[in-house]
Amino acid sequence: MRIVGRNINLPEQIKDEVFVNHRKFWANTPGMRMLCGLNHVQEPLRQRVRDDNIKGAYTVDMLDVEMLLQEYVEAFSGRPVMDVDTFLTIGFASVIPWVEAICGCEIRALGRGASMVAEPAPIEQKDLLAHMRDLLENIEDNPWYKKLKTAYTGLEKALGADYPITHTLMRGPGDTAGAILGHEKFVFMMLKPDENEGFLHELLELCTQVYLKATKMQLECGGQFHGGYCNQYGIWAPGLHGRTQEDEAAFVSPTLSKKYLLKYHIEEADAFEYSVHHMHSGYVKNVYNWRELPGTSKLKSFQVQIDPAGPSIDDLFPTLMEINSLLPMVLETTTDEHAKIVEEKYMDKLPGCVLHHKINSASFLQGKSIDK
Amino acid sequence: MSSTDELTIAVIEGNNETAVELTKKALADGEAAKQILSERLLPAMEITGERFEKEEIWFPELLMAANAMKTAVDILRPELAKSGSAVIGKYLIGTVDGDAHDIGKNLVSMFLEQNGWEVTDLGVDVSKERFCEEINTGDYDIVGLSAMLTVTLPEMENVIEGLKEAGLRNKVKIMIGGAPVTQAYADQIGADAYAPDAASATARAKKLLG
């Protein structure tokens, strides 16, 4: 793996303190508290989708990497490299469902929703595995993959001297398989193992491999930062990081999740020295097999996003305690009310190290960046 | 709550083929469509809803049961119409502008239909103008707005404001739901009701009609 490698000029006192603290995060140092999210930068493509009300099919030809890179430079230049206790990191166009797009899904932009969704791949089920195998063998020729690589090479050149570059949002194997097949079809297929088990496992494995290849490519092009890498939450680690997720698990029982999905989460977590597994509060309490990850994989951290209409934080608290007793936790709040409850009532009671990723709900809802 | 009725069990188990076969057989044996619906099919959804709440079954099983129920009700529909079975009300539903999530909305539609509502589904990514146009020309009792994304929540308020501007707000009641939606948000934007899930949506819709 080629490593570009950059060391950003940081004031000496910040440098020492930050790297020491980030090592303490990974060690799940009891009682340690960190904060980030106050130096939020609205992603240029997401903002463009919203402001220009871009709707309908979004094809790879519509993605103008050069123009977006220029917009990244404009959006980030002059910003402080620190976001309270963590680094301000740059990932490229997380609004695009990259893994799904690379795998052949059709992408649809949602205008004012400031988002994009993946729609089922227009590929016959009988041809799907052959398509995925061919994709993996020739992934460098895939048009979405090529643009992502161009973007990361460009990001490193344009901003890598000033900010750490991180991989973009990459969804999990079940999320991707669900997008390719259609989510309802995917979960129904899991319920008929006699007919579908072999097919689904092969598809999930191929989705996992696409995730791993595309994620590692971004980290390679984005380059090292002070001898390591920073993840999406700005935490530095002295090794490769990966952010993994599996929101599709919310659709199925723990039994089905274990039977079909867990194996691939372990495979993804084991591919990195420092991985974070993303979850939502809406399903973390009852549904998900997250408890099996720490003991069976190299997973290093959990991230829990508090959903605005999910279970109350009072209800969630025992689960959060359990998570944090096992691994360091990134706790993300997206409303001011939840941020206040977390800070005032619960933060001091959590046993391990907690990074509060506090998203300003007003700016988030309005799709705005916080002023430089 | 449990059942030993074969048709009820077929729906609970999401067994489409058996549900169709037994519904046709019941009609052929002279059982009234209304009786099949109220005594054999609706209890299936009540039991399914209870099991889902108790976490005895999960989302796929719930969806499969709802599908089986819909298939069976489709067979009964012509007979129900002949017997003059009253429709509870007319319900217009859609996911708001900028949002393409439809699993929750589809489930709410199915539950409403199975409980006697006539449902018109405008689909996903529905603009304020499209809602207004349909409400203006249609004869709806309730409009259901769905959103999955935090960033599309304001579109719910936009629709309500659009209805006010068009003089249509008092023509319909408005219910909202979706992952980021709360009762507090419903109160804030002036919606008439909020439903946290598909099962409660039917009860709240009925209550709204008074």
Side-chain angles (χ1 to χ4, degrees):
Chain A
M1 186 168 169
R2 184 184 69 88
I3 298 298
V4 179
R6 297 273 194 171
N7 284 336
I8 293 166
N9 291 324
L10 296 168
E12 201 59 38
Q13 70 277 18
I14 289 181
K15 192 185 341 182
D16 291 344
E17 186 185 328
V18 170
F19 292 107
V20 168
N21 286 343
H22 289 199
R23 284 182 189 275
K24 285 182 181 173
F25 173 85
W26 295 112
N28 203 19
T29 303
M32 186 170 171
R33 301 292 174 256
M34 298 163 75
L35 179 65
C36 74
L38 305 190
N39 192 10
H40 169 71
V41 180
Q42 186 65 25
E43 175 184 303
L45 183 56
R46 193 179 292 279
Q47 189 138 2
R48 186 173 284 278
V49 167
R50 181 189 174 91
D51 294 350
D52 298 351
N53 201 19
I54 298 171
K55 297 189 87 160
Y58 191 87
T59 62
V60 71
D61 297 335
M62 295 165 76
L63 180 61
D64 187 337
V65 171
E66 290 307 315
M67 182 188 72
L68 280 173
L69 284 173
Q70 188 52 44
E71 291 180 1
Y72 269 86
V73 170
E74 287 166 14
F76 277 86
S77 294
R79 282 183 180 274
V81 69
M82 298 306 296
D83 177 8
V84 196
D85 295 320
T86 71
F87 293 101
L88 182 64
T89 52
I90 306 177
F92 187 77
S94 71
V95 68
I96 295 174
W98 283 102
V99 191
E100 299 93 316
I102 291 168
C103 288
C105 287
E106 293 184 338
I107 305 303
R108 178 174 172 185
L110 290 170
R112 292 187 196 116
S115 65
M116 293 188 189
V117 290
E119 298 188 331
I123 302 164
E124 293 279 332
Q125 193 179 315
K126 65 180 172 55
D127 301 326
L128 193 52
L129 296 179
H131 160 80
M132 292 292 290
R133 286 187 212 111
D134 182 60
L135 163 66
L136 268 171
E137 278 179 25
N138 302 290
I139 199 161
E140 295 282 344
D141 298 328
N142 178 278
W144 285 102
Y145 184 95
K146 275 162 72 173
K147 285 220 168 168
L148 189 58
K149 191 169 182 176
T150 303
Y152 269 83
T153 307
L155 268 186
E156 198 286 325
K157 276 185 191 157
L159 291 161
D162 300 317
Y163 303 95
I165 310 294
T166 189
H167 75 75
T168 190
L169 195 154
M170 306 286 280
R171 293 195 174 79
D175 297 337
T176 308
I180 292 170
L181 292 166
H183 297 283
E184 289 182 10
K185 183 178 176 184
F186 177 55
V187 294
F188 284 169
M189 286 176 81
M190 287 190 206
L191 290 171
K192 293 184 177 173
D194 293 348
E195 296 169 29
N196 305 313
E197 190 171 352
F199 169 84
L200 289 178
H201 273 299
E202 191 166 355
L203 178 60
L204 288 161
E205 173 59 26
L206 290 162
C207 291
T208 304
Q209 291 305 320
V210 172
Y211 164 89
L212 290 173
K213 281 201 174 190
T215 301
K216 288 190 173 180
M217 174 273 286
Q218 293 166 62
L219 295 175
E220 182 179 344
C221 293
Q224 275 197 340
F225 168 68
H226 287 266
Y229 297 86
C230 273
N231 65 16
Q232 283 77 2
Y233 312 102
I235 310 169
W236 175 86
L240 279 179
H241 77 82
R243 178 193 177 278
T244 62
Q245 70 164 72
E246 192 62 286
D247 289 343
E248 201 82 0
F251 289 156
V252 298
S253 67
T255 307
L256 283 181
S257 181
K258 184 172 183 175
K259 181 173 182 174
Y260 284 101
L261 303 174
L262 183 64
K263 177 182 169 188
Y264 307 101
H265 306 159
I266 294 170
E267 191 175 339
E268 289 186 353
D270 286 354
F272 305 96
E273 286 102 358
Y274 295 87
S275 56
V276 177
H277 191 73
H278 155 87
M279 300 188 288
H280 283 271
S281 64
Y283 60 69
V284 73
K285 186 165 168 267
N286 300 318
V287 174
Y288 197 57
N289 292 82
W290 58 265
R291 289 175 179 84
E292 298 182 63
L293 278 170
T296 54
S297 75
K298 293 180 184 169
L299 184 73
K300 288 287 196 299
S301 174
F302 282 112
Q303 183 250 6
V304 181
Q305 182 176 323
I306 306 293
D307 301 319
S312 71
I313 299 176
D314 287 345
D315 283 348
L316 280 172
F317 187 64
T319 310
L320 298 177
M321 287 279 283
E322 190 184 350
I323 290 170
N324 195 219
S325 67
L326 295 169
L327 291 175
M329 178 169 64
V330 180
L331 193 58
E332 183 173 297
T333 53
T334 56
T335 69
D336 296 337
E337 182 193 355
H338 281 160
K340 192 167 182 246
I341 292 170
V342 162
E343 281 173 352
E344 293 181 358
K345 194 170 173 187
Y346 291 114
M347 195 60 104
D348 288 342
K349 295 176 185 164
L350 290 161
C353 184
V354 182
L355 167 63
H356 184 190
H357 184 206
K358 183 178 174 180
I359 295 178
N360 178 298
S361 60
S363 67
F364 184 72
L365 278 173
Q366 291 158 18
K368 289 178 182 169
S369 299
I370 293 167
D371 290 339
K372 288 179 191 176
Chain B
M1 191 175 180
S2 63
S3 173
T4 54
D5 181 81
E6 284 183 348
L7 176 54
T8 309
I9 292 168
V11 171
I12 291 168
E13 291 179 349
N15 191 333
N16 262 356
E17 288 170 12
T18 309
V20 167
E21 189 187 315
L22 292 174
T23 304
K24 284 180 177 171
K25 184 176 181 302
L27 282 175
D29 290 346
E31 201 173 333
K34 199 171 175 182
Q35 189 181 343
I36 299 169
L37 179 66
S38 62
E39 294 179 15
R40 305 179 71 185
L41 294 176
L42 287 176
M45 292 316 291
E46 281 176 35
I47 294 169
T48 306
E50 269 181 24
R51 288 187 178 175
F52 185 70
E53 279 186 17
K54 289 178 186 170
E55 294 172 11
E56 292 171 4
I57 61 166
W58 303 83
F59 177 76
E61 291 91 338
L62 181 69
L63 204 54
M64 285 182 84
N67 269 331
M69 175 81 177
K70 184 175 188 305
T71 314
V73 171
D74 283 346
I75 293 166
L76 297 180
R77 212 176 293 281
E79 293 302 317
L80 290 170
K82 274 187 216 165
S83 66
S85 295
V87 169
I88 289 179
K90 293 180 79 174
Y91 200 107
L92 180 70
I93 194 166
T95 304
V96 296
D97 195 5
D99 204 323
H101 295 86
D102 64 356
I103 291 177
K105 170 187 69 64
N106 294 347
L107 209 52
V108 170
S109 294
M110 276 195 262
F111 269 74
L112 286 166
E113 280 190 336
Q114 290 146 22
N115 283 278
W117 289 80
E118 186 180 316
V119 179
T120 300
D121 187 345
L122 293 179
V124 298
D125 197 12
V126 182
S127 67
K128 167 180 78 175
E129 292 77 14
R130 180 75 187 92
F131 274 113
C132 288
E133 181 191 331
E134 187 64 29
I135 292 163
N136 189 34
T137 55
D139 183 22
Y140 298 101
D141 299 294
I142 300 177
V143 178
L145 306 176
S146 172
M148 171 73 180
L149 303 168
T150 316
V151 286
T152 53
L153 272 183
E155 290 303 321
M156 293 182 156
E157 189 171 9
N158 277 350
V159 174
I160 292 175
E161 291 305 313
L163 289 174
K164 283 181 188 167
E165 285 165 18
L168 297 167
R169 178 64 186 89
N170 294 330
K171 195 178 173 191
V172 290
K173 300 283 187 188
I174 294 178
M175 280 178 68
I176 64 172
V181 183
T182 60
Q183 180 63 55
Y185 185 70
D187 296 339
Q188 182 191 321
I189 66 171
D192 297 299
Y194 155 71
D197 52 54
S200 63
T202 53
R204 296 198 186 187
K206 202 169 176 181
K207 196 175 168 190
L208 264 188
L209 284 194

